[in-house]
Amino acid sequence: MQLLPGVRSVVVPTDRLEVHLVEYGPEDGVPVVMVHGNLSTGRFFEHLSPGAPEGYRIVAPDMRGFGDTESLPLDATRGLADWADDVAALLRALGIERPVHLLGWSTAGAAIVDFAIEHPVASLTFLDPVSPYGFGGVRADGTPCFPDWAGSGGGIVNPEVVRRIAEGDDTTESPFSIRSVMRTAYWLESHTEPREDLFVAEVLKTVTGADNYPGDATPSPNWPGTAPGTTGIINALSPKYCNWTRVVDLDPKPPVLWTHGAEDSVVSDTSMQDLGTLGELGYVPGWPGADVFGSQPMVSQIREVLGRYGAAGGRVRTEIVPGAGHSPHLEQQELWQSVFWEFVGAAERGATTTIG
């Protein structure tokens, strides 16, 4: 699908890999970097560009393994640090030296914290981020349900989803085709997405297999029989490797915006992709019970960690977006944009009053 007016598609060689991105705005503008999540690309942010205030430069890269960026293996034992380092390499290649406003959607919520640990940022925006304790197999306090972190990692992904992506299935013939998954998980079923064809085509560029999506897996004697491997994006999200509670220790503390769809079924206290929830509902046999492997309270975990960030002196604005699932920037675009650009503008002005 053709790019929107004013949006540029660029391939940038860096010292780590060749990165494809879409960007908008003047090259000397205030940099706003938008990092997509799992099974998406930078073009999931393209529709926001025409509504951006003047003077901002939006940079939305495709992360390794997705879109048109060079495909390289992802070291899951580093959590999302490979993604963070790729963003840093891109900014060096673009000659962007000033602190950027950094947004991370879903998976990338962990990546932007990894970036901020190593580099100064002007602000952090979490858009329906993965829990600070990663995805799957942990209790409310972030401790694992089993010592080997069983119930998280590459082995928990339905292989039918992977197969249909690899085969380029753009239909709705199966509930496991990416178009069907989008309609039930990315946004609410009541939402009609005008750019759905583009998004399906973008996700079908995903590199499948052990190196990227979903990654490898390790057999486990614990339910459901699989534990994290060491490569690929879903292992990088395992709580064994993914933990962004370190955000509390940032010094100095950039202002933080957390926006979340009120009806998100992916990152939720009862996520429909969490095996604790699916086991309780009877979709995964052998569930050992809530006292052993209950639903991971993901939103509550985000709220608790960002609460600690605020108590430690950080400024946090929270916006729970009504009528939205996992993609409030798509489902409630006008509302979400007004909140986001108000926040970024205040951060850019160096606002010192408490937000939210």
Side-chain angles (χ1 to χ4, degrees):
M1 185 179 291
Q2 187 174 358
L3 292 166
L4 294 175
V7 177
R8 306 180 293 274
S9 173
V10 184
V11 175
V12 180
T14 79
D15 54 29
R16 285 177 58 84
L17 77 172
E18 194 170 80
V19 177
H20 171 261
L21 59 89
V22 290
E23 65 175 350
Y24 181 88
E27 291 190 359
D28 61 351
V30 176
V32 177
V33 180
M34 299 182 172
V35 187
H36 67 78
N38 181 39
L39 295 180
S40 54
T41 70
R43 294 200 72 180
F44 279 71
F45 297 117
E46 180 187 347
H47 67 292
L48 301 174
S49 297
E54 292 185 6
Y56 288 93
R57 178 186 186 182
I58 296 176
V59 176
D62 297 342
M63 303 312 295
R64 66 169 64 198
F66 297 98
D68 295 315
T69 283
E70 182 181 358
S71 173
L72 292 178
L74 188 146
D75 180 359
T77 66
R78 304 184 68 223
L80 274 297
D82 269 355
W83 275 23
D85 289 349
D86 290 347
V87 170
L90 173 62
L91 296 179
R92 287 194 298 271
L94 292 174
I96 296 175
E97 298 179 352
R98 59 158 291 172
V100 300
H101 297 277
L102 194 56
L103 177 151
W105 177 29
S106 195
T107 293
I112 65 172
V113 173
D114 282 340
F115 181 95
I117 294 293
E118 301 293 335
H119 310 277
V121 296
S123 71
L124 292 173
T125 295
F126 296 98
L127 173 57
D128 292 62
V130 63
S131 163
Y133 298 104
F135 196 100
V138 291
R139 302 182 179 92
D141 63 358
T143 58
C145 298
F146 298 109
D148 62 353
W149 309 88
S152 68
I156 71 171
V157 174
N158 190 313
E160 185 68 4
V161 174
V162 181
R163 182 182 73 82
R164 288 181 176 272
I165 290 174
E167 294 178 357
D169 182 1
D170 65 357
T171 72
T172 55
E173 293 176 357
S174 165
F176 304 113
S177 71
I178 193 59
R179 191 182 295 271
S180 297
V181 170
M182 281 183 177
R183 292 180 179 182
T184 57
Y186 284 49
W187 46 74
L188 300 181
E189 292 186 56
S190 58
H191 174 72
T192 300
E193 176 49 53
R195 294 167 67 79
E196 182 179 276
D197 287 347
L198 167 66
F199 295 155
V200 169
E202 287 292 294
V203 175
L204 290 178
K205 297 175 181 179
T206 298
V207 178
T208 57
D211 285 343
N212 186 51
Y213 180 79
D216 61 349
T218 303
S220 172
N222 301 307
W223 186 84
T226 183
T230 61
T231 59
I233 191 67
I234 305 301
N235 288 310
L237 287 169
S238 165
K240 182 176 182 179
Y241 311 119
C242 177
N243 186 311
W244 58 265
T245 62
R246 296 182 299 161
V247 70
V248 175
D249 300 322
L250 286 178
D251 184 20
K253 287 179 166 53
V256 164
L257 171 64
W258 171 33
T259 65
H260 209 97
E263 299 177 64
D264 188 348
S265 66
V266 177
V267 179
S268 164
D269 282 359
T270 52
S271 170
M272 290 304 295
Q273 295 186 16
D274 176 23
L275 293 187
T277 302
L278 297 177
E280 185 172 6
L281 293 173
Y283 295 133
V284 183
W287 181 58
D291 56 333
V292 176
F293 202 117
S295 297
Q296 180 184 348
M298 302 176 187
V299 170
S300 295
Q301 290 171 332
I302 297 167
R303 193 180 302 279
E304 188 272 331
V305 169
L306 291 182
R308 285 197 276 134
Y309 186 84
R315 292 186 289 117
V316 179
R317 176 173 180 173
T318 298
E319 293 285 345
I320 304 301
V321 182
H326 194 56
S327 309
H329 64 305
L330 296 170
E331 298 164 275
Q332 298 292 341
Q333 178 183 342
E334 184 175 344
L335 171 61
W336 186 88
Q337 278 192 286
S338 67
V339 170
F340 175 71
W341 288 115
E342 177 186 317
F343 166 77
V344 170
E348 185 62 20
R349 293 190 300 272
T352 58
T353 55
T354 300
I355 299 176

